[in-house]
């Protein structure tokens, strides 16, 4: 069944079931569906789509559309992975009363996303079971929602109490609270877990994150322009930056109908796979460090280094490649660079085989990771786990295959799955994916033909169009939602990093586990907090030395941005 | 009468000697460990301070000594300060009775072995006190781990020591070595006539020694990725430095005792060189093995560690004990 037919079939099914509650539908025929529904029926429609039609929950977006239509907008995005369809269920809410039914009791994965639009856009998810603040700190005044269009990007509310301590939930009876983070040797970025520990067993936890929220989305909507944003997007994450930059430009291209030259698609694919290579190598090293096996940690980093050098040779940087623009890429791959890349891949393949043998042959690592941090297929579905975490539980989802983008439709590769659902399975999945990535890069190098790498974009991009883009990051699906806007910049851009969903599964994975297993269970989702928070590490108080105040930062931003 | 036979000189000489030996070992074993770890991981290790990084321990010592010792508010200040001393002092005491050669021993005590284990077990309490006094959750969890780990490993260790006692018939370390002087076939590890499981006994003893000294793969107490620095989290400057030295001193003692009990002490397998060099060679080989193991195996899980002790080491050490008694007693019955 073609994608267009699958879309029509889905729409017919929805119409037959809900009739007039389906108000409008756009089927552009490229694997995207935008269905405008009656806000009163949103909960039931989402339940039907999620439970009965078997869709995977992706993300919920809240947007302030008042300057254009006088309404607020909520989109619940779902993916039909088997049919290659990404579907947005849209609800328009009156500008004076932004509230709609919470779907998080029927779609548990929507928990965070609803709390986020409650914080940032001020749309109330009615009946949400845990309506605590997610993104905004407790000292932020009530009623100020930063992503609303009437709040300026550089505005700090006068009564913002920066130093107010967070209010935490009560720990259960008989449990001691062990803080894990914001600063801890195994956390590379700030996040705070309050673990409820009984003896050596973890009974639950509370998560407070979003400590490095940079407001990138707000900047994109108010200061930057279409082609500035890719450079900002890749600074969302220190490891999978290229993923966000590609996902963003694809969302714009999807919304505006820009066609990308074939060679540019191959180059994007190659860089994405390079990123997967160095990310997985880094992760296997870190996992070994967490279980106390520093020798393999050092080996992984040694093997990984040539990839970084290669990336530097191809783009000028080890990271933040500044690769993508709307309509193409900025760096071409010269024939001699391609040859050097093949050499690096050959060495990597050989050396990585050695590491894989060492890890799979080590009974200690297996004893340490088998049966730890288990996530079954039900948890994957309910919480919307993605990437290697889902694949390690036997759920074969991979955007590269299910929603092909860039050149992935033209290369052959295998989606690696395991059955165990535990940390060990995640290690195995990631180790095997390295070989698939090597294969993909080789195929791209073979199939690439000379040609332009950038499409001409002469006209202004159309206004008010929606674009969706899912890119398989090393950690899972990175999803970008975008509404094109006036002034050469988007109206709304929402980034959902894979860790955003995977982190929500962590409390279930660590419950009733040994405290000693907590770090590797958390580590096994390969958490990336800055991705999730979408922020830059800007530490403020360094005592006697240089203190970056908020004013300094704002001034710097003004200098750079405007 | 040489001046060595005048008692106060002897004592002064040995105190200075033991201090210097422990200090030099603690400092340079760190260097050896970092160099060895570097080689295992295909890196260079320390290279900057002095030739081949040889002055690195000196730089580290100066750094640690010049740092402020911070006593965290709310901690038990007295216990907090005493704990490092309680790690170091008993370790020094143990050196009093270790025979480095036929003629080099501070005090040839008849209950030398007992004394070493008596002082050795104070170490556990000191780490626990340090963790407890810090008023830090990581430190307290670590202290609890140290206690259960050491209780679990003290048992098989002492069971193997009892086995050795039955074979040797004395607690005097000097005597124990004397019995093994005939050649390397007379070393206790190869005396299969008294107990066919002797090499196993040695492996059990060595494993327990690793666990007792909180070395990887049994370094639960300071599992960095879980407990920051475990019981030592709140210690700064030389407070931490002394704990660190204590750890290495305990490794040296453990390996020295293993050398005496199983590897024939200063006895030479081939004859040349004075005995003390052979003793040191055997001891440092064991120490190198300890380092080697650390960089080869991942850390075990805490309950895995306890399982290893209660389900494997204790039954096996009991078995060797019973077996030895049978082998020794049965011929005499006829």
């Amino acid at each position: 069944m073609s994608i267009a037919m699958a879309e029509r079939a889905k729409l017919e099914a929805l119409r037959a079931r809900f009739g007039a509650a389906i108000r409008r539908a756009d089927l552009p025929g490229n694997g995207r569906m935008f269905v405008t529904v009656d806000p009163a029926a949103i909960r039931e429609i989402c339940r039907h789509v999620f439970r009965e039609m078997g869709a995977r929950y992706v993300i919920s977006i809240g947007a302030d559309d008042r300057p254009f239509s006088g309404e607020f907008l909520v989109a619940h995005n779902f993916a039909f992975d088997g049919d290659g369809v990404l579907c947005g269920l849209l609800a328009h809410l009156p500008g004076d009363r932004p509230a709609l039914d919470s779907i998080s009791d029927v779609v548990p994965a929507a928990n965070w996303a609803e709390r986020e639009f409650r914080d940032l856009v001020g749309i109330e998810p009615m009946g949400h079971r845990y309506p605590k603040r997610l993104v905004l700190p407790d000292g932020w005044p009530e009623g100020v929602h930063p992503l609303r269009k009437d709040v300026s990007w550089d505005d700090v509310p006068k009564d913002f109490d920066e130093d107010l301590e967070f209010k935490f939930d009560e720990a259960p009876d008989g449990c001691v609270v062990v803080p894990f983070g914001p600063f801890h040797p195994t956390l590379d970025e700030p996040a705070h877990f309050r673990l409820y520990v009984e003896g050596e067993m973890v009974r639950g936890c509370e998560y407070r994150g979003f400590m490095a929220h940079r407001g990138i989305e707000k900047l994109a909507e108010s200061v930057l322009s279409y082609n500035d944003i890719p450079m900002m997007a890749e600074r969302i994450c220190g490891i999978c930056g290229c993923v966000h930059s590609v996902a963003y430009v694809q969302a714009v291209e999807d919304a505006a109908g820009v066609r990308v030259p074939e060679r540019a698609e191959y180059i994007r694919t190659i860089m994405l796979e390079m990123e997967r290579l160095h990310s997985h190598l880094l992760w296997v090293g870190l996992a070994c460090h967490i279980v106390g096996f520093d020798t393999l940690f050092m080996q992984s980093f040694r093997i990984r280094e040539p990839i970084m050098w290669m990336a530097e040779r191809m783009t000028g940087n080890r990271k933040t490649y500044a690769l993508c623009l709307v309509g193409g890429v900025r760096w071409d791959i010269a024939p001699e660079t391609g040859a050097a890349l093949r050499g690096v891949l050959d060495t990597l393949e050989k050396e990585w085989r050695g590491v894989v043998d060492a890890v799979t042959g080590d009974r200690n690592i297996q004893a340490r990771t088998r049966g730890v941090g288990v996530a079954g297929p039900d948890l994957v579905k309910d919480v919307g786990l993605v990437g290697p975490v889902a694949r390690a539980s036997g759920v074969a989802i991979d955007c590269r295959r299910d929603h092909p983008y860039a050149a992935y439709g033209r290369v052959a590769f295998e989606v690696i799955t395991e059955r165990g659902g535990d940390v060990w399975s995640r290690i195995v999945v990631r180790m095997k994916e390295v070989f698939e990535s090597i294969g993909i890069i080789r195929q791209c190098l073979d199939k690439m033909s000379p040609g332009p790498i950038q499409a001409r974009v002469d006209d202004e991009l159309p206004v008010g169009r929606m674009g969706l883009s899912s890119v398989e990051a090393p950690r899972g699906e990175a999803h970008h939602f975008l509404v094109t806007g006036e002034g050469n910049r988007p109206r709304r851009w929402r980034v959902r990093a894979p860790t955003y969903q995977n982190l929500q599964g962590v409390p279930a994975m660590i419950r009733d586990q040994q405290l000693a297993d907590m770090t590797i269970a958390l580590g096994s989702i390969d958490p990336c907090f800055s991705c999730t928070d979408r922020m830059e590490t800007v530490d403020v108080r360094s005592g006697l030395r240089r203190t970056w105040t908020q004013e300094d930062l704002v001034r710097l931003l003004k200098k750079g941005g405007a | 009468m040489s001046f060595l036979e005048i008692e106060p000189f002897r004592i002064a000489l040995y105190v200075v000697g033991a201090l210097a030996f422990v200090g030099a070992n603690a400092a340079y074993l760190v260097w050896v460990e970092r160099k060895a770890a570097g080689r295992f991981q295909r890196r260079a290790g320390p290279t900057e301070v002095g030739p081949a990084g040889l002055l690195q321990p000196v730089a580290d010592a100066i750094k640690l000594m010049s740092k402020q010792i911070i006593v965290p508010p709310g901690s038990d200040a007295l216990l907090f300060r005493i704990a490092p001393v309680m790690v170091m002092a008993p370790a020094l005491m143990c050196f009093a009775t270790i025979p480095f050669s036929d003629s080099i021993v501070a005090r040839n005590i008849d209950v030398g072995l007992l004394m070493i284990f008596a002082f050795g077990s104070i170490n556990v309490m000191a780490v626990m006190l340090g963790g407890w006094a810090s008023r830090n959750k990581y430190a307290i969890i670590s202290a609890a781990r140290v206690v259960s780990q050491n209780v679990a490993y003290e048992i098989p260790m002492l069971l193997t020591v009892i086995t050795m006692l039955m074979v040797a018939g004395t607690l005097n370390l000097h005597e124990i070595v004397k019995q093994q002087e005939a050649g390397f076939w007379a070393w206790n590890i190869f005396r299969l006539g008294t107990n066919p499981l002797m090499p196993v006994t040695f492996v059990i003893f060595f494993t327990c020694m690793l666990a007792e000294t909180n070395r990887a793969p049994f370094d639960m107490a300071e599992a960095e990725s879980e407990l920051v620095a475990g019981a030592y989290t709140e210690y700064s400057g030389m407070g931490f430095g002394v704990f660190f030295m204590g750890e290495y001193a305990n490794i040296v003692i453990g390996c020295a005792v293993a050398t005496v009990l199983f590897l024939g002490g200063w006895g030479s397998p081939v004859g040349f060189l004075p005995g003390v060099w052979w003793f040191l060679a055997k001891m440092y080989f064991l120490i190198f093995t300890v380092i080697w193991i650390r960089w080869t195996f991942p850390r075990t899980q805490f309950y895995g560690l306890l399982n290893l002790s209660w389900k494997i080491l204790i039954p096996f050490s009991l078995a060797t004990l019973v077996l030895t008694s049978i082998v020794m007693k049965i011929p005499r019955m006829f």
Side-chain angles (χ1 to χ4, degrees):
Chain A
M1 187 159 55
S2 79
I3 289 178
M5 280 165 69
E7 285 175 1
R8 273 199 298 279
K10 305 274 176 220
L11 184 63
E12 286 316 310
L14 279 176
R15 283 231 162 93
R17 173 79 200 264
F18 295 102
I22 309 295
R23 289 186 178 163
R24 206 190 128 181
D26 289 327
L27 305 183
N30 56 355
R32 306 289 185 263
M33 265 175 94
F34 298 98
V35 183
T36 310
V37 303
D38 180 3
I42 191 89
R43 187 168 163 278
E44 189 47 33
I45 295 174
C46 285
R47 194 198 61 76
H48 183 76
V49 167
F50 185 64
R51 294 289 175 196
E52 269 136 64
M53 295 172 74
R56 178 171 60 82
Y57 174 78
V58 180
I59 190 61
S60 301
I61 302 112
D64 179 8
D65 210 36
R66 285 175 302 169
F68 319 104
S69 64
E71 290 172 317
F72 281 95
L73 186 71
V74 166
H76 293 298
N77 287 2
F78 290 87
F80 296 96
D81 289 316
D83 304 310
V85 177
L86 291 172
C87 164
L89 297 176
L90 310 170
H92 293 275
L93 307 173
D96 52 346
R97 208 183 59 83
L100 85 171
D101 285 338
S102 162
I103 62 163
S104 61
D105 53 340
V106 288
V107 186
N111 179 354
W112 277 24
E114 291 193 331
R115 284 161 68 191
E116 178 169 336
F117 68 58
R118 179 175 173 272
D119 280 7
L120 296 181
V121 197
I123 298 172
E124 186 65 32
M126 290 183 300
H128 193 290
R129 272 186 254 170
Y130 189 70
K132 197 168 177 169
R133 279 190 176 176
L134 180 75
V135 180
L136 292 179
D138 284 0
W140 193 266
E142 283 291 334
V144 182
H145 303 289
L147 279 186
R148 286 197 175 179
K149 292 290 180 195
D150 48 9
V151 177
S152 165
W153 64 275
D154 54 354
D155 187 31
V156 179
K158 296 234 164 18
D159 43 350
F160 173 39
D161 181 1
E162 230 184 325
D163 301 321
L164 189 77
E165 287 193 17
F166 282 160
K167 281 191 276 300
F168 293 106
D169 298 345
E170 285 287 310
D173 273 350
C175 287
V176 179
V177 172
V178 176
F180 184 82
F183 303 105
H184 190 281
T186 38
L187 288 176
D188 306 320
E189 297 163 72
H192 182 69
F193 293 84
R194 279 165 64 83
L195 302 175
Y196 307 139
V197 178
E198 190 182 348
E200 283 262 338
M201 301 296 273
V202 178
R203 296 297 181 205
C205 79
E206 184 186 349
Y207 173 76
R208 287 308 290 256
F210 295 85
M211 291 170 191
H213 193 83
R214 285 163 285 178
I216 282 183
E217 288 160 359
K218 184 73 180 177
L219 282 179
E221 291 164 28
S222 39
V223 178
L224 304 175
S225 63
Y226 279 123
N227 274 339
D228 294 337
I229 298 175
M231 315 308 158
M232 180 68 107
E234 68 187 352
R235 280 161 176 80
I236 288 175
C237 179
I239 292 292
C240 42
C242 190
V243 164
H244 286 295
S245 140
V246 171
Y248 161 78
V249 292
Q250 284 184 5
V252 178
E253 288 153 6
D254 184 45
V258 176
R259 291 188 70 93
V260 182
E262 199 178 288
R263 188 173 175 84
E265 293 193 325
Y266 277 115
I267 293 173
R268 283 181 187 175
T269 309
I270 290 175
M271 286 321 289
L272 287 174
E273 291 306 315
M274 295 272 286
E275 238 176 23
R276 191 179 325 277
L277 283 179
H278 76 64
S279 174
H280 278 3
L281 263 55
L282 174 95
W283 181 81
V284 170
L286 284 182
C288 289
H289 171 68
I290 293 175
V291 300
F293 195 10
D294 283 342
T295 300
L296 208 47
F297 166 76
M298 294 286 176
Q299 294 294 343
S300 294
F301 268 65
R302 182 181 59 77
I303 296 173
R304 173 181 183 258
E305 192 58 22
I307 301 281
M308 308 304 284
W309 292 336
M310 202 59 227
E312 186 173 11
R313 184 163 165 191
M314 287 159 79
T315 66
N317 276 318
R318 292 164 63 90
K319 282 302 311 167
T320 52
Y321 306 133
L323 180 74
C324 290
L325 291 177
V326 173
V329 294
R330 296 176 64 212
W331 314 119
D332 203 349
I333 296 179
E336 56 269 34
T337 320
L341 177 56
R342 280 179 200 273
V344 168
L345 292 179
D346 291 343
T347 325
L348 172 73
E349 193 175 24
K350 204 165 85 250
E351 294 196 308
W352 190 243
R353 185 112 18 225
V355 170
V356 171
D357 288 347
V359 173
T360 45
D362 190 303
R363 291 223 309 270
N364 254 329
I365 296 184
Q366 294 193 35
R368 190 82 171 70
T369 53
R370 272 188 199 274
V372 170
V374 177
D378 289 345
L379 187 71
V380 172
K381 167 93 178 163
D382 281 353
V383 189
L385 303 181
V386 287
V389 183
R391 292 196 284 275
S393 307
V395 180
I397 48 171
D398 189 328
C399 298
R400 293 176 291 174
R401 182 196 62 186
D402 300 334
H403 310 280
Y405 53 92
Y408 285 107
R410 287 167 233 145
V411 293
F413 62 96
E414 198 187 328
V415 175
I416 310 280
T417 55
E418 283 284 320
R419 294 250 145 246
D422 52 7
V423 176
W424 174 248
S425 304
R426 287 167 212 154
I427 294 178
V428 174
V429 166
R430 289 199 177 92
M431 285 194 308
K432 287 187 182 165
E433 280 183 2
V434 167
F435 296 116
E436 296 300 321
S437 292
I438 294 174
I440 293 175
I441 299 181
R442 283 193 183 132
Q443 291 178 52
C444 287
L445 288 174
D446 289 341
K447 293 185 178 170
M448 238 163 54
S449 49
I453 57 168
Q454 172 72 44
R456 282 187 68 98
V457 184
D458 294 330
D459 304 329
E460 239 180 75
L461 300 184
V463 171
R465 303 263 191 93
M466 288 180 196
L468 301 178
S469 157
S470 276
V471 169
E472 189 71 18
R475 294 157 178 76
E477 175 203 42
H479 182 84
H480 285 219
F481 170 91
L482 185 129
V483 186
T484 56
E486 299 77 3
N488 201 24
R489 65 174 63 106
R491 258 182 214 169
R492 179 78 173 102
W493 170 45
R494 170 73 160 93
V495 180
R496 199 230 46 198
T499 310
Y500 195 84
Q501 290 306 127
N502 284 346
L503 256 187
Q504 297 182 55
V506 166
M509 289 184 213
I510 61 171
R511 190 169 300 132
D512 297 330
Q513 300 254 337
Q514 298 273 336
L515 178 62
D517 295 335
M518 152 73 194
T519 43
I520 184 66
L522 173 64
S524 70
I525 69 162
D526 201 357
C528 184
F529 296 110
S530 282
C531 264
T532 308
D533 303 357
R534 283 152 283 144
M535 12 181 146
E536 191 165 347
T537 13
V538 175
D539 200 3
V540 197
R541 301 165 202 89
S542 50
L544 296 172
R545 299 199 189 108
R546 175 93 198 245
T547 303
W548 292 85
T549 62
Q550 208 138 6
E551 289 78 52
D552 288 339
L553 291 171
V554 167
R555 204 183 56 239
L556 275 178
L557 281 174
K558 270 186 180 152
K559 231 192 285 172
Chain B
M1 192 163 116
S2 107
F3 83 102
L4 266 180
E5 287 165 44
I6 306 167
E7 197 56 27
F9 280 124
R10 243 180 104 90
I11 292 176
L13 194 63
Y14 275 114
V15 167
V16 172
L19 276 173
F21 187 72
V22 171
N25 264 302
Y28 275 89
L29 281 181
V30 177
W31 179 84
V32 170
E33 170 130 37
R34 290 181 60 183
K35 273 289 182 194
R39 292 287 177 260
F40 283 124
Q41 300 166 352
R42 293 174 70 175
R43 309 183 274 119
T47 53
E48 291 299 313
V49 191
L54 269 170
L55 292 179
Q56 186 70 46
V58 181
D60 287 347
I62 293 174
K63 179 192 76 181
L64 282 175
M65 278 190 251
S66 60
K67 280 194 170 176
Q68 187 190 359
I69 296 184
I70 300 165
V71 181
S75 66
D76 187 323
L78 182 69
L79 291 183
F80 188 80
R81 284 166 208 265
I82 284 180
V85 182
M86 284 182 57
V87 168
M88 203 57 200
L92 283 172
M93 289 302 294
C94 291
F95 278 97
T97 184
I98 288 173
F100 288 88
S101 83
D102 201 6
S103 52
I104 306 180
V105 57
R107 272 280 175 275
N108 186 12
I109 309 172
D110 278 344
V111 290
L113 196 55
L114 188 63
M115 195 192 106
I116 286 182
F117 285 102
F119 279 113
S121 52
I122 296 181
N123 175 33
V124 188
M125 200 173 75
V127 176
M128 193 191 84
L129 278 184
W132 180 258
S134 307
R135 194 170 178 263
N136 174 311
K137 279 166 184 163
Y138 297 124
I140 291 174
I141 291 175
S142 157
R145 284 184 179 187
V146 169
V147 172
S148 40
Q149 177 177 338
N150 280 271
V151 167
Y153 279 85
E154 204 102 305
I155 299 169
M157 186 173 213
L158 291 180
L159 283 174
T160 56
V161 171
I162 293 172
T163 313
M164 296 314 298
L165 273 184
M166 288 172 30
V167 172
T170 173
L171 281 167
N172 186 322
L173 295 176
H174 198 260
E175 286 291 310
I176 292 175
V177 178
K178 277 282 183 197
Q179 291 172 358
Q180 308 175 52
E181 259 193 336
F184 72 87
W185 58 88
W187 293 359
N188 278 334
I189 188 173
F190 299 123
R191 272 167 80 182
L192 305 182
T194 54
N195 170 3
L197 286 179
M198 218 36 148
V200 179
T201 317
F202 173 71
V203 171
I204 294 176
F205 180 86
F206 195 72
T207 313
C208 295
M209 196 270 289
L210 285 179
E212 288 274 299
T213 49
N214 298 325
R215 283 291 294 193
F218 306 121
D219 58 342
M220 300 298 104
E222 46 175 326
E224 178 201 280
S225 52
E226 300 151 23
L227 296 178
V228 189
Y232 316 140
T233 306
E234 294 290 350
Y235 281 91
S236 56
M238 257 338 250
F240 177 77
V242 170
F243 268 121
F244 213 65
M245 282 171 71
E247 184 185 319
Y248 280 95
N250 280 320
I251 294 167
V252 174
I253 291 166
C255 292
V257 172
T259 308
V260 167
L261 281 184
F262 290 95
L263 302 180
W266 65 80
S268 154
V270 283
F272 65 94
L273 282 181
V276 61
W277 298 111
W278 283 107
F279 183 89
L280 292 179
K282 292 171 190 173
M283 189 184 82
Y284 282 118
F285 173 72
L286 287 183
I287 292 176
F288 175 75
T289 312
V290 170
I291 293 173
W292 186 7
I293 287 174
R294 169 165 178 189
W295 297 106
T296 310
F297 292 105
R299 188 182 300 129
T300 48
Q301 259 159 323
F302 186 59
Y303 46 87
L305 180 79
L306 295 186
N307 279 346
L308 176 67
S309 171
W310 292 100
K311 292 183 180 168
I312 297 176
L313 295 183
I314 293 181
F316 268 90
S317 49
L318 266 177
T320 57
L321 180 67
V322 172
L323 195 67
T324 313
S325 17
I326 292 172
V327 171
M328 289 176 73
K329 283 291 174 193
I330 280 180
R332 293 186 203 175
M333 285 162 70
F334 302 102

